[in-house]
Amino acid sequence: MRVFVTGASGFIGSAVLPELIAEGHEVTGLARSENAATAVKAAGAQVLRGDLADLDVLREGARNADGVIHLAFGHDFTQIEKAVTEDRAAIELFGEVLADGPAGQPLVIASGLLGLTSGQLAKEDDEFPVTPDPFGARNDNARVALALADRGVRASSVRLAPTVHRADHLGFVGVLADIARRTGVSGYPGEGDARWPAVHVQDAARLFRLALDKAPAGSVLHGADEEGNTIRTYAEVIGRKLDLPVRSIPDDQLWEHFGWLAPMLTRDVPTASAITRELLGWQPTQPQMLDDMENSPALS
């Protein structure tokens, strides 16, 4: 299959490309810079230069493909509304192009588990909540993608754990460690009992490939290897590894201490992935989050 991948040179994309190529897919990756283009070429994929805001380039990539994996998302969290708007425009365009082609062409998008209802076990058949915040706005984008099933597009949404990790790249937990270094305290909000699931980047890459190959239209999939560890647990490991005190940060100091990460750290999203595993035969095999933290050069 000819596959167009956005976010191809990113942390997840750089694992997805070799996964697809190893399975015999012909891959073209979107690259917004020369460095990104070099990385995409090194992975064995073709390069299409452009960024997520260039709809003509995205249209070209989708028209020359049999399916799309959409991973790109702006991660400047001070401009989250812009990122959500670009994401939606890209999804709508991919849907338009794929709906004009043969029925059943796949569109796999990345969405997030942090947008689900806080405080309850998240399951694949849970609805995307409607909320007046950036989490809710990204949920709206996932609903747009899944609705494309009615137009003959085999659309699926992979809800990713808030931390996609590898020993040398700890995702948002790595940001938490950077904050600890800067402030001299490994902090957590309140009791620190909010739970975050996690998934190794190689297991996530395999999930995207399986979704492309065989996820039924309208599928919601969970990219979570483990139900979740508490934010306090993550903070305690960071404190021990960096030899820093561990303490609760008062509510009125969360923004000052954690910055843009603050609202994410209070979202409690324990996650099940049984439906995903049964539907696609997805079985994570890589180290779990706490194992990677113990072996991370970022915490040495």
Side-chain angles (χ1 to χ4, degrees):
M1 185 188 306
R2 296 173 302 164
V3 187
F4 179 50
V5 180
T6 71
S9 65
F11 179 53
I12 299 173
S14 62
V16 168
L17 294 191
E19 176 76 23
L20 294 174
I21 292 167
E23 291 297 314
H25 294 297
E26 180 183 326
V27 183
T28 297
L30 184 69
R32 64 181 178 181
S33 69
E34 191 59 40
N35 285 342
T38 299
V40 170
K41 287 179 185 176
Q46 300 297 310
V47 174
L48 181 62
R49 286 295 300 270
D51 61 33
L52 208 56
D54 193 335
L55 297 184
D56 288 337
V57 170
L58 299 187
R59 182 175 286 105
E60 177 187 348
R63 279 181 175 167
N64 292 323
D66 305 307
V68 175
I69 296 180
H70 175 43
L71 302 172
F73 189 80
H75 283 93
D76 180 351
F77 290 95
T78 65
Q79 299 187 51
I80 190 67
E81 291 181 3
K82 177 176 180 289
V84 168
T85 299
E86 286 185 349
D87 181 52
R88 180 162 184 154
I91 290 169
E92 290 173 340
L93 182 143
F94 293 143
E96 171 193 322
V97 174
L98 294 175
D100 285 342
Q105 289 185 307
L107 169 62
V108 186
I109 72 156
S111 59
L113 287 164
L114 283 182
L116 301 186
T117 302
S118 186
Q120 69 180 41
L121 181 67
K123 299 179 180 179
E124 291 92 334
D125 52 6
D126 292 341
E127 295 291 332
F128 284 93
V130 178
T131 55
D133 57 28
F135 297 117
R138 198 167 187 194
N139 286 343
D140 290 342
N141 292 357
R143 279 190 288 269
V144 168
L146 295 175
L148 292 167
D150 295 335
R151 300 179 60 191
V153 179
R154 186 162 57 82
S156 60
S157 172
V158 177
R159 291 169 171 164
L160 283 170
T163 285
V164 181
H165 62 89
R166 193 174 61 203
D168 62 346
H169 190 300
L170 298 178
F172 285 145
V173 172
V175 177
L176 195 62
D178 290 341
I179 293 169
R181 280 196 186 87
R182 187 179 73 247
T183 62
V185 172
S186 184
Y188 56 87
E191 297 297 318
D193 53 3
R195 291 159 290 180
W196 275 12
V199 65
H200 193 280
V201 67
Q202 293 298 140
D203 290 323
R206 188 179 314 112
L207 179 55
F208 278 102
R209 192 263 299 169
L210 289 169
L212 178 85
D213 287 345
K214 60 183 181 178
S219 296
V220 174
L221 308 165
H222 278 183
D225 176 18
E226 48 194 315
E227 186 172 302
N229 300 298
T230 67
I231 299 300
R232 181 170 183 166
T233 297
Y234 291 139
E236 288 173 343
V237 175
I238 291 168
R240 172 170 54 80
K241 297 286 287 184
L242 298 182
D243 194 23
L244 293 173
V246 180
R247 74 162 189 254
S248 172
I249 306 300
D251 287 350
D252 61 356
Q253 297 177 24
L254 293 182
W255 274 100
E256 179 183 355
H257 188 87
F258 296 112
W260 56 264
L261 193 62
M264 300 183 187
L265 293 173
T266 59
R267 296 193 66 85
D268 179 34
V269 286
T271 299
S273 59
I275 293 174
T276 299
R277 295 174 193 233
E278 181 176 356
L279 182 66
L280 299 182
W282 180 61
Q283 291 297 329
T285 61
Q286 299 298 314
Q288 293 192 326
M289 184 67 201
L290 295 181
D291 295 322
D292 267 353
M293 290 182 73
E294 290 295 339
N295 296 297
S296 177
L299 296 180
S300 60

